[in-house]
């Protein structure tokens, strides 16, 4: 396009097959991609006044948007979404210089295009990982930003691990979370990562002196060659220097790439960074499981294991994971785990000790270790008969080898050891030997067919042995009559019964009765009741006693919508088998009809636990979660919300969709987690409550700030000033902080050095010749590289003996501030009034006197 004062001349069209748009002078919204080549015609506005000879454009043009005399709105410079997302303009039609139509509002929305590559906030990152760090646990994180629209795929970042150096066996020891940039070990890394070997093994001391001593001890130099000229010493020195300064020679270097468009497009833009990783030796190793024999004889306290922190100055603390009455363990300052008394496996077979390594303030310096102490069994318990007299029944005329029962014996020793391996043998049988017992299982069987006329009872003595102890158990075996009589119901039809669907579990619907003519008190006459038809979902159950009665009870919740009626068949049966040729018939069965009545039930949520985790920068209008609930009767469900004390949320009463309100800003620094209640209700009275828990994830929306912004230094005794900063964000967006003088410049007067992760030391290099106040720009960045420059005021002055800046008399004369001056005048005025306005009444005349 070429432009002239007379108008806009079209040289080419903006898009193939599409002409330039025109229209009346009215409010207009135009969407224009950023970076559109210029000059570029946007739209021609046409006035309804024929005499119009020009237009006037005002507003947010930024010198990039213009209007021609014949109404063509056009671009003179390309638009940049990162700079301005929306331009709001006003347009008037003119005759001469007078407006005759308008103004109208023109809104130009700048559409983001993917023209900014993501960039890391650091060129190189440092990661320190210890041996045997669990796979998947982050130990470092990279962080990148993209200037494109964060709501669009153009700024959707994805992290990938490009390469690992070295990678000799083509085995990756590290992995990266594509969404968060967190770096952790793989399963192979957890298993195979090793710290480089060291020559010096002592803690502390001067490096050079310690190395020389080691060299003298093990290498025996001649003594006439200086250490620095000895090639063997120099080699060892270089190797140990690399160990003490590992970041100069890292164990691994990772190349990490970040891509926009979620990394799913061939047109995605990218950036790269390096992560230097050092593998450190992990002395904090779990010594468990520790196996100890019970009843162990020796001198107590007895060392049973040892822990060693990666921090040589750590203090150790030992607690029990379970709440036990006795805890016979302790830990020394050196990390030795002590047993204080003998253990008994039958009291407790395993203990879990939790060992803490802490600094002098009680802060953990290593993650807690759970150490298992397993108590090994010794044979110190004899077998015990579970019954003083074990009673069994067997029918007469049963064939040889018929089972009678199992003798139940218990040994408190460990079942998985020979100490609890039992063997059984028959010692005596009276009145005759007609039974055998399995020596391993304790199963008793008949050796012949039994007759009641020979004996109705048999008494047995069984010896039970483990490898070290022996016990004798008494057994009574009754020979009972054959089961030649059937159980008979008192009635075979128990009619119809009604239950509401909210009937409580365990409710007895009815009692049934049956009789049996076999010998009383035997398995042949004992009656058991079973539901054999109509109870496929197990809603009902039978409870049986020994007097021939059974109770039909509700075993599961009733649901009218699932089943509105039941036809149940109940059978009466004996535990002993019937004699050959006899079968159960209709007289041993009964039926009952059960009708279920409907109850208006409360709505039911589809989930019992509702926990949500969202980033704190989630935008307004975003959906937090969608609640689903159903009414058992199929009625319409509505939703409402209670307990949103911050007023951040709103719920759609029809759909249950919970969104963040317009203009609401979630803030983790205000509250890290909160709860509210969702109510699902019918249009009637029934309603159900469900608590929702929301946890906010931190984003880097705060910068570190100085806790104090001024201080003073005494000239004669200059002491460094400790600067402390706080950041409301959590890890990894908080400490450790990086302190520096603004723009990294070296100051002739000041030196700034780190103290710890949240403070730095400001030191005066050279005192001025007179009192002077300095405004020092301090730049503080958080762990993710985000920060600002802040002014810190330092007054360097002569101090009094109490350590405060000294001010000479008269220095402030005539320079009192307005509030001070007004205060002094008010005080003087009060004194004058007090002196001159003491009144007394004499003869009705009020007089004044000095």
């Amino acid at each position: 396009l070429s432009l002239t004062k007379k108008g806009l001349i079209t040289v080419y069209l903006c898009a193939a097959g599409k002409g330039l748009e025109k229209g009346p002078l009215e409010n207009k919204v135009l969407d224009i991609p950023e970076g559109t080549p210029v000059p570029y015609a946007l739209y021609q506005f046409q006035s309804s006044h024929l005499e119009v000879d020009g237009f006037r454009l005002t507003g947010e043009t930024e010198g990039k948007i213009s209007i021609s005399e014949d109404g063509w709105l056009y671009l003179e410079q390309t638009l940049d979404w990162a700079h301005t997302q929306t331009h709001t303009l006003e347009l008037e039609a003119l005759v001469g210089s007078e407006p005759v139509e308008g103004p109208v509002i023109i809104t130009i929305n700048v559409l983001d295009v993917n023209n900014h590559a993501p960039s890391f906030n650091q060129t190189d990152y440092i990661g320190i990982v210890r041996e045997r760090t669990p796979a998947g646990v982050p130990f470092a994180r990279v962080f990148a930003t993209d200037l494109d629209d964060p709501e669009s795929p153009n700024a959707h970042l994805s992290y990938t691990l490009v390469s690992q150096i070295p990678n000799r066996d083509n085995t990756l020891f590290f992995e990266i979370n594509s969404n968060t940039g967190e770096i952790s070990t793989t399963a192979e890394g957890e298993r195979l990562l090793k710290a480089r070997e060291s020559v010096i093994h002592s803690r502390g001391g001067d490096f050079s002196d310690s190395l020389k001593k080691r060299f003298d001890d093990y290498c025996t130099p001649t003594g006439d060659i200086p250490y620095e000229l000895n090639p063997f010493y120099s080699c060892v020195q270089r190797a140990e220097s690399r160990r003490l300064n590992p970041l100069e020679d890292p164990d691994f270097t990772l190349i990490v790439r970040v891509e926009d468009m979620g990394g799913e497009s061939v047109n995605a833009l990218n950036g790269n960074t390096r992560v230097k990783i050092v593998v450190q030796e992990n002395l904090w190793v779990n010594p468990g499981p520790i196996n100890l024999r019970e009843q162990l004889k020796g001198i107590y306290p007895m060392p049973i294991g040892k822990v060693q922190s990666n921090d040589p100055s750590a203090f150790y603390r030992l607690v029990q994971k379970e709440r036990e009455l006795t805890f016979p363990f302790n830990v020394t300052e050196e990390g030795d785990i002590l047993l204080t008394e003998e253990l008994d496996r039958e009291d407790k077979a395993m203990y879990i000790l939790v060992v803490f390594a802490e600094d002098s303030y009680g802060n953990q310096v290593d993650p807690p270790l759970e150490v298992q102490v397993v108590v090994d069994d010794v044979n110190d318990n004899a077998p015990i008969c579970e019954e003083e007299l074990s009673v069994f029944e067997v029918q007469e005329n049963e064939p040889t080898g018929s089972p009678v029962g199992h003798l139940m014996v218990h040994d408190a020793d460990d079942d998985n050891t020979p100490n609890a391996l039992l063997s059984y043998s028959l010692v005596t049988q009276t009145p005759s030997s007609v039974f055998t017992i399995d020596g391993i299982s304790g199963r008793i069987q008949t050796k012949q067919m039994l007759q009641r006329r020979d004996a109705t009872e048999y008494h047995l003595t069984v010896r039970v042995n483990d490898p070290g102890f022996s016990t004798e158990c008494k057994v009574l075996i009754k020979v009972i009559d054959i089961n030649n009589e059937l159980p008979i119901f008192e009635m075979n039809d128990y009619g119809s019964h009604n239950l509401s669907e909210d009937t409580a579990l365990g409710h007895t619907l009815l009692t049934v009765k049956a009789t049996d003519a076999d010998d009383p008190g035997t398995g042949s006459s004992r009656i058991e009741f079973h539901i054999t038809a109509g109870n496929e979902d197990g809603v009902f159950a039978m409870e049986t006693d020994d007097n021939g009665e059974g109770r039909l009870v509700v075993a599961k919740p009733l649901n009218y919508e699932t089943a509105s009626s039941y036809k149940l068949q109940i059978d009466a049966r004996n535990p002993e088998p019937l004699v050959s040729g006899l079968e159960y018939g209709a007289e041993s069965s009964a039926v009952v009809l059960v009708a279920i009545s409907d109850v208006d039930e409360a709505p039911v949520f589809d989930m019992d636990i509702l926990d949500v985790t969202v980033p704190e920068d989630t935008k307004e209008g975003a959906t937090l979660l969608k609640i689903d609930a159903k009414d058992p009767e199929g009625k319409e469900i509505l939703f409402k919300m209670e307990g949103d004390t911050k007023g951040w949320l709103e719920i759609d009463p029809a759909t249950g969709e919970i969104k963040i309100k317009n203009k609401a800003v979630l803030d983790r620094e205000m509250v890290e987690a909160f709860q509210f209640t969702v109510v699902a209700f019918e249009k009637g009275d029934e309603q159900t409550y469900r608590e929702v828990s929301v946890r906010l994830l931190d984003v880097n929306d705060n910068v570190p700030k100085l806790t104090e912004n001024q201080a003073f230094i005494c000239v004669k005794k200059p002491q460094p000033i400790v600067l402390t900063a706080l950041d409301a964000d959590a890890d990894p967006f908080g400490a450790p902080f990086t302190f520096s003088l603004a723009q990294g410049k070296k100051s002739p007067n000041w030196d700034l050095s780190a103290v710890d992760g949240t403070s730095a030391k400001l030191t005066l290099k050279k005192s001025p010749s007179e009192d002077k106040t300095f405004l020092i720009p301090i730049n503080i960045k958080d762990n993710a590289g985000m920060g600002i420059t802040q002014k810190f005021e330092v007054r360097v002055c002569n101090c009094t003996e109490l350590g405060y800046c000294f001010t000479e008399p008269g220095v402030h004369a005539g320079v009192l501030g307005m509030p001070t001056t007004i205060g002094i005048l008010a005080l003087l005025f009060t004194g004058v009034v007090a002196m001159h306005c003491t009144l007394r009444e004499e003869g009705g005349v009020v007089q004044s006197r000095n």
Side-chain angles (χ1 to χ4, degrees):
L1 301 178
S2 62
L3 305 172
T4 68
K5 284 289 185 179
K6 296 298 183 181
L8 186 67
I9 303 174
T10 303
V11 178
Y12 61 86
L13 297 179
C14 301
K18 180 180 178 182
L20 298 174
E21 296 185 37
K22 304 178 182 181
L25 187 62
E26 61 185 9
N27 294 343
K28 190 71 176 175
V29 177
L30 300 172
D31 294 331
I32 308 299
E34 64 172 331
T36 298
V38 295
Y40 184 85
L42 304 177
Y43 191 86
Q44 185 180 26
F45 290 93
Q46 297 175 328
S47 175
S48 58
H49 295 263
L50 298 179
E51 65 274 17
V52 166
D53 57 6
F55 292 85
R56 180 162 57 208
L57 183 68
T58 57
E60 300 169 346
T61 65
E62 297 183 355
K64 300 178 180 180
I65 309 169
S66 299
I67 190 80
S68 68
E69 292 179 355
D70 55 353
W72 278 104
L73 186 69
Y74 65 94
L75 297 181
E76 287 191 287
Q77 299 180 32
T78 56
L79 302 181
D80 185 358
W81 181 92
H83 183 268
T84 305
Q85 288 84 51
T86 302
H87 295 264
T88 303
L89 313 172
E90 288 189 358
L91 180 62
E92 298 173 300
L94 306 176
V95 174
S97 60
E98 294 297 323
V100 295
E101 187 176 0
V104 297
I105 303 300
I106 304 171
T107 302
I108 296 180
N109 295 322
V110 183
L111 303 181
D112 181 49
V113 298
N114 194 19
N115 60 349
H116 292 93
S119 61
F120 287 96
N121 64 338
Q122 294 177 219
T123 304
D124 293 288
Y125 291 83
I126 295 171
I128 298 177
V129 61
R130 292 196 179 273
E131 300 170 333
R132 295 180 294 279
T133 295
V137 177
F139 64 87
R141 182 181 182 183
V142 297
F143 183 75
T145 57
D146 194 309
L147 294 178
D148 288 315
D149 185 358
E151 301 297 324
S152 73
N154 298 335
H156 178 203
L157 304 185
S158 177
Y159 301 91
T160 55
L161 183 60
V162 178
S163 64
Q164 167 190 295
I165 304 171
N167 188 9
R168 299 183 182 90
D169 298 324
N170 199 27
T171 301
L172 288 179
F173 294 153
F174 307 96
E175 61 187 2
I176 189 167
N177 186 305
S178 60
N179 295 319
T180 65
E182 292 174 324
I183 299 173
S184 57
T185 59
T186 62
E188 292 78 7
E190 176 184 358
R191 183 170 56 91
L192 299 176
L193 281 178
K194 299 293 181 184
R196 66 182 71 187
E197 294 184 359
S198 170
V199 175
I200 297 177
H201 301 282
S202 61
R203 292 180 180 271
D206 180 76
F207 161 66
S208 179
D209 293 341
S210 178
L211 179 57
K212 291 176 181 177
K213 184 178 185 306
R214 291 284 180 178
F215 200 79
D216 289 342
D217 292 343
Y218 296 103
C219 301
T220 60
T222 61
D224 56 350
I225 302 176
Y227 290 106
E228 291 73 15
L229 300 180
N230 189 317
F232 299 101
Y233 177 86
S234 301
C235 178
V236 173
Q237 185 184 42
R238 285 195 300 271
E240 194 59 15
S241 296
R242 286 196 298 270
R243 186 187 72 85
L244 296 178
N245 300 284
L247 295 181
E248 298 179 2
D249 182 18
D251 296 301
F252 294 91
T253 298
L254 305 182
I255 307 301
V256 176
R257 175 176 297 151
V258 61
E259 294 180 290
D260 58 21
M261 308 291 287
E264 297 178 355
S265 172
V266 296
N267 298 321
L269 305 178
N270 63 69
N272 297 283
T273 190
R274 291 176 298 177
V275 183
K276 297 179 179 180
I277 295 179
V278 176
V279 182
Q280 291 186 346
E281 183 181 9
N282 190 3
L283 302 174
W284 186 240
V285 179
N286 194 324
I290 300 173
N291 288 77
L292 297 173
R293 289 183 58 191
E294 64 174 331
Q295 313 300 340
L296 183 62
K297 303 303 179 183
I299 300 175
Y300 290 87
M302 177 186 297
I304 60 172
K306 185 178 180 64
V307 293
Q308 182 176 349
S309 172
N310 293 305
D311 185 343
S313 60
F315 296 89
Y316 300 103
R317 182 166 59 90
L318 186 66
V319 299
Q320 57 176 322
K321 186 173 183 180
E322 310 99 336
R323 293 186 177 274
E324 301 293 337
L325 295 178
T326 59
F327 186 63
F329 301 95
N330 207 339
V331 65
T332 67
E333 293 181 358
E334 292 75 27
D336 292 310
I337 300 175
L338 305 178
L339 175 65
T340 59
E341 62 185 51
E342 294 182 8
L343 301 178
D344 187 346
R345 194 204 67 86
E346 286 68 49
D347 289 340
K348 189 170 179 61
M350 186 179 73
Y351 296 84
I352 299 180
L353 320 181
V354 183
V355 188
F356 294 91
E358 300 171 335
D359 61 18
S360 57
Y361 299 100
N363 301 312
Q364 294 182 14
V365 296
D366 286 302
L369 294 179
E370 289 192 2
V371 182
Q372 292 185 357
V373 177
V374 179
V375 185
D376 292 334
D377 187 44
V378 297
N379 192 10
D380 57 349
N381 291 278
I384 298 175
C385 308
E386 291 198 358
E387 300 288 342
E388 184 176 349
L389 178 65
S390 299
V391 180
F392 300 98
E393 293 180 349
V394 61
Q395 286 185 356
E396 63 177 342
N397 296 328
E398 288 288 331
T400 300
S402 295
V404 176
H406 282 83
L407 180 61
M408 304 305 295
V409 179
H410 174 70
D411 193 311
D413 289 316
D414 190 351
D415 291 336
N416 297 314
T417 68
N419 300 328
L421 182 60
L422 305 180
S423 61
Y424 302 81
S425 61
L426 280 168
V427 179
T428 63
Q429 299 186 54
T430 56
S432 60
S433 177
V434 294
F435 299 99
T436 64
I437 190 167
D438 187 290
I440 300 302
S441 66
R443 182 172 182 256
I444 302 174
Q445 295 174 273
T446 62
K447 291 197 298 183
Q448 65 184 47
M449 187 179 294
L450 303 179
Q451 298 292 331
R452 282 175 55 84
R453 65 175 177 268
D454 296 333
T456 59
E457 293 182 348
Y458 289 84
H459 294 270
L460 283 65
T461 301
V462 179
R463 179 173 293 126
V464 185
N465 297 300
D466 68 14
F469 297 91
S470 178
T471 299
E472 290 187 352
C473 301
K474 302 298 182 181
V475 178
L476 170 63
I477 300 176
K478 297 180 179 180
V479 182
I480 63 175
D481 188 18
I482 58 174
N483 190 9
N484 58 358
E485 297 289 342
L486 297 174
I488 300 173
F489 274 100
E490 64 173 359
M491 65 177 68
N492 298 106
D493 189 344
Y494 280 87
S496 298
H497 300 264
N498 291 303
L499 288 176
S500 63
E501 64 176 331
D502 60 351
T503 299
L505 297 182
H507 171 75
T508 299
L509 177 60
L510 78 145
T511 300
V512 298
K513 292 184 179 181
T515 58
D516 192 300
D518 284 311
D519 284 350
T522 68
S524 299
S525 63
R526 189 178 304 118
I527 300 174
E528 298 174 347
F529 296 94
H530 307 278
I531 303 174
T532 57
N535 191 37
E536 287 75 15
D537 51 0
V539 169
F540 298 96
M542 290 300 301
E543 294 180 351
T544 305
D545 54 25
D546 291 332
N547 60 6
E549 290 187 350
R551 292 180 299 279
L552 179 64
V553 299
V554 179
K556 292 183 179 180
L558 302 173
N559 191 334
Y560 173 84
E561 288 72 30
T562 301
S564 59
S565 64
Y566 295 87
K567 182 179 180 180
L568 306 177
Q569 177 178 321
I570 303 173
D571 291 342
R573 297 292 185 264
N574 299 131
E576 291 292 337
L578 298 174
V579 296
S580 178
L582 185 64
E583 295 181 355
Y584 291 103
E587 64 274 16
S588 299
S589 297
V591 295
V592 59
L593 298 177
V594 183
I596 310 300
S597 57
D598 191 21
V599 174
D600 189 10
E601 299 171 272
V604 178
F605 285 94
D606 66 338
M607 290 188 294
D608 292 329
I609 300 176
L610 297 174
D611 292 332
V612 184
T613 301
V614 295
E616 64 173 325
D617 62 347
T618 303
K619 302 299 182 183
E620 60 182 78
T623 298
L624 188 67
L625 77 158
K626 188 177 184 299
I627 303 295
D628 286 321
K630 293 182 176 60
D631 182 72
E633 290 76 42
K635 297 180 182 179
E636 182 183 357
I637 298 293
L638 297 176
F639 299 91
K640 62 182 179 180
M641 188 170 57
E642 298 177 352
D644 177 22
T645 57
K646 302 298 181 185
W648 286 341
L649 308 175
E650 60 186 1
I651 188 169
D652 188 313
T655 66
E657 187 175 19
I658 300 176
K659 293 185 176 182
I660 299 174
K661 283 183 179 180
N662 289 337
K663 299 184 179 180
V665 179
L666 305 182
D667 189 354
R668 191 203 66 86
E669 287 69 44
M670 180 183 297
V671 57
E672 186 170 351
F674 62 93
Q675 293 79 35
F676 61 92
T677 301
V678 175
V679 184
F681 61 95
E682 305 170 359
K683 289 192 175 179
D685 296 329
E686 296 295 335
Q687 55 188 18
T688 304
Y689 299 83
R690 186 70 73 241
E691 185 176 86
V692 181
S693 297
V694 180
R695 185 169 69 92
L696 300 180
L697 295 178
D698 192 29
V699 298
N700 201 4
D701 56 351
N702 292 278
V703 296
K705 294 183 179 179
L706 290 170
T707 57
E708 302 286 345
N709 58 14
Q710 60 181 2
F712 68 88
I713 293 177
C714 296
V715 174
K716 293 184 177 179
K717 294 183 179 181
Q719 297 292 329
I721 300 171
V722 176
L723 309 179
T724 302
L726 295 177
D727 191 323
D729 289 319
D731 186 68
F733 304 122
F737 304 142
T738 302
F739 293 81
S740 63
L741 297 174
Q743 301 177 352
K745 296 180 179 179
K746 289 188 175 180
S747 170
N749 298 312
W750 303 96
D751 182 58
L752 186 63
S753 59
V755 175
D756 53 32
T758 59
S759 59
K761 181 169 60 177
L762 184 65
T763 305
L764 180 64
K765 294 181 179 179
K766 182 180 179 182
S767 299
S769 57
E770 57 185 6
D771 284 12
K772 188 174 182 180
T773 299
F774 295 85
L775 280 177
I776 306 170
I778 307 292
N779 184 270
I780 311 174
K781 294 182 179 179
D782 61 23
N783 192 33
M786 182 175 174
I788 60 174
T789 298
Q790 305 167 52
K791 296 292 186 180
F792 188 79
E793 180 180 313
V794 181
R795 182 182 175 191
V796 181
C797 60
N798 293 309
C799 293
T800 65
E801 293 182 356
L802 297 178
Y804 296 100
C805 283
F806 172 74
T807 303
E808 297 181 6
V811 168
H812 294 296
V815 293
L816 296 176
M818 181 61 72
T820 306
T821 304
I822 293 175
I824 294 173
L825 291 175
L827 182 63
L828 292 173
F829 178 76
T830 303
V832 171
V833 171
M835 294 175 62
H836 293 279
C837 295
T838 302
L839 304 180
R840 65 190 179 93
E841 185 175 355
E842 295 182 356
V845 178
V846 178
Q847 298 180 346
S848 65
R849 65 178 182 178
N850 289 334

